[in-house]
Amino acid sequence: SRLHGDKTFLVYEDERFAFQDHWRAAAAVGRVLVERFGVAKGDRVAIAMRNFPEWPMAFFGATAVGAVAVPLNAWWTGDELEYGLRDSGASVLFCDAERAARIAPHLRALPDLRHVVVVRADEEPLPPEHQRFEDLIGRSGAEAALPAVELAPDDEATLFYTSGTTGRPKGALGTHRNICGNVVSLAYGNVRTLLRSGQKPPDPTAPRPQAAQLLSVPLFHATGCHAVLCGNLAFGGKLVMMFKWDPARALELIERERITSFGGVPAMVWQVLEHPDFSTRDLSSVQSVGYGGAPAAPELVRRIREAFPASSPGQGYGLTETSSVTTLIGGADYVLHPDSVGAPVPVVDVKICDDAGREVPIGEIGEVWIGGPNVVKGYWRNPEATAESFPGGWLRSGDVGRVDEDGFLYLVDRAKDMLIRGGENVYCVEVESVLYEHPAVMDAAVVGIPHKVLGEEVGAVVQVVPGKQVSERELQDHVASKLAAFKVPVRIELRGEPLPRNANGKILKRDLKRELEKYAR
């Protein structure tokens, strides 16, 4: 970030931080971690907060001194945050006041957590064992230098939590190579889009206006961190942050900050396009609209082209386990292949395999396997899951797709029993397990309900224990008391008869999903 000097890097509300401000703050975080907290290479440093400017300061300060950054889902409940902190063995937590209050009742269950640093808590009374971010950075000196730590490309750097086959989140253990390789892949994708569209890439030595990107997705996801944050840091782009996603505010910021790129998940793009303020704002600065993390209807490509004629729509495909980018598509390719998620970037290999792991012929459907330097090392302290999901260095994505003769990937289904609500993964087993805890629930199945904006919403079908009474609202409140709000079913059908099953006793979720389509919005 020092390379970009006094150019604006982070914008939050009316606050602005130059790249050099970010450098000084991140270096100060690194010194505090090493010299005051005793953090050594490989120790875990967790981050749980909204998209505040302090998030990247903590992230880069930790990774620059060899610690493993553990971004935790800020939507999680106290129980879920406790799990992430305990499973990772984090010794330091950077959080905002809201997350600090949420985790406070769980601190006694976290003996490894020695330091809690709270950002933006000026008006909040803090427990004596908590420390304010501003106080620590203020005492570290304005021109702090990073401690000397030797780092190698394959040293561990990140631990992003993702849903797993047991319903409990698993930590995907990433490296510095994963972070830096993804940035290069993003640069490649931009140039490829221009060349495939008949345009010349810009002269890298010629001065050009600063790019500006609206950060509309959480930094605790691979897209927000690996693609948006690291990409803007590397290429000198301005990153405009929001307290929370709001399409009206997004339109205001696009106009005010002359945003050149925005997106996130398809739901957010739809919300911007359909907002009543859309026609009243000057959006002429927008040059690209990109998204990922959820299926996008080909109709969205057409709408983007109409609304932003000077822009290039695009999307990518990847997973937490692939450090964001696996395939990219944009420009002319996207117009010609609107139902594809693109071609693999050069250093990444994609193959389609059958159930036995054998590669199938071009055009046939199978499971998407991914190999390359973007794939993480494996799952944190989970050798069984690592062996199952990473055979021979490949990642079994769990997604079902096909590849055409030109190398474009098409997804035809997603990971078994996984649904995606507005870009947030919801693992059905986790929600079902909570439903089963209610004494009136005999059987339960969680499936996705189609939603035009969010992609899917969470739905459930429950068989009630004979003789017991329970309402839909009571079960929704029960789930809400255990899990984050985005995992709570918006519809729960209550039945007295058994749920449909096949000969092996497995619930026929496809049938149930078809039945719940009547609630689609």
Side-chain angles (χ1 to χ4, degrees), residues 395-408:
L395 167 69
R396 298 185 58 176
S397 72
D399 292 328
V400 178
R402 62 180 176 86
V403 173
D404 67 16
E405 58 276 5
D406 295 320
F408 287 90

Side-chain angles (χ1 to χ4, degrees), residues 191-373:
V191 174
R192 182 184 192 275
T193 295
L194 290 171
L195 293 174
R196 295 274 293 180
S197 301
Q199 304 176 49
K200 290 184 178 181
D203 180 356
T205 63
R208 58 182 185 273
Q210 184 184 23
Q213 187 164 5
L214 182 66
L215 176 64
S216 53
V217 295
L219 288 170
F220 56 73
H221 280 326
T223 299
C225 182
H226 282 301
V228 181
L229 174 61
C230 293
N232 278 276
L233 180 78
F235 305 128
K238 178 174 67 174
L239 190 58
V240 181
M241 314 173 89
M242 305 175 69
F243 178 73
K244 66 177 182 179
W245 170 251
D246 176 77
R249 178 64 171 159
L251 286 165
E252 178 185 345
L253 290 172
I254 291 172
E255 181 180 70
R256 189 187 86 178
E257 298 294 335
R258 306 304 294 156
I259 295 295
T260 58
S261 175
F262 84 97
V265 296
M268 294 172 174
V269 181
W270 277 116
Q271 289 170 356
V272 166
L273 291 172
E274 297 185 346
H275 196 276
D277 292 347
F278 184 86
S279 61
T280 68
R281 295 291 184 181
D282 178 5
L283 310 177
S284 59
S285 60
V286 175
Q287 299 172 11
S288 66
V289 181
Y291 42 84
E299 171 69 7
L300 182 57
V301 182
R302 186 187 66 80
R303 288 287 301 276
I304 291 172
R305 297 279 293 181
E306 289 178 353
F308 302 100
S311 73
S312 172
Q315 73 163 321
Y317 165 68
L319 303 90
T320 304
E321 292 89 340
T322 64
S323 317
S324 189
V325 170
T326 292
T327 67
L328 291 170
I329 190 168
D333 281 334
Y334 201 6
V335 174
L336 293 172
H337 305 275
D339 51 346
S340 171
V341 294
V345 293
V347 295
V348 175
D349 293 314
V350 169
K351 63 180 180 179
I352 307 300
C353 295
D354 60 19
D355 291 342
R358 297 183 295 259
E359 190 168 3
V360 302
I362 289 175
E364 290 193 11
I365 292 173
E367 184 180 11
V368 179
W369 286 40
I370 302 164

Side-chain angles (χ1 to χ4, degrees), residues 69-89:
V70 185
L72 297 177
N73 191 321
W75 290 20
W76 277 357
T77 63
D79 287 338
E80 291 167 312
L81 289 170
E82 178 193 323
Y83 169 78
L85 291 165
R86 186 176 64 252
D87 184 73
S88 66

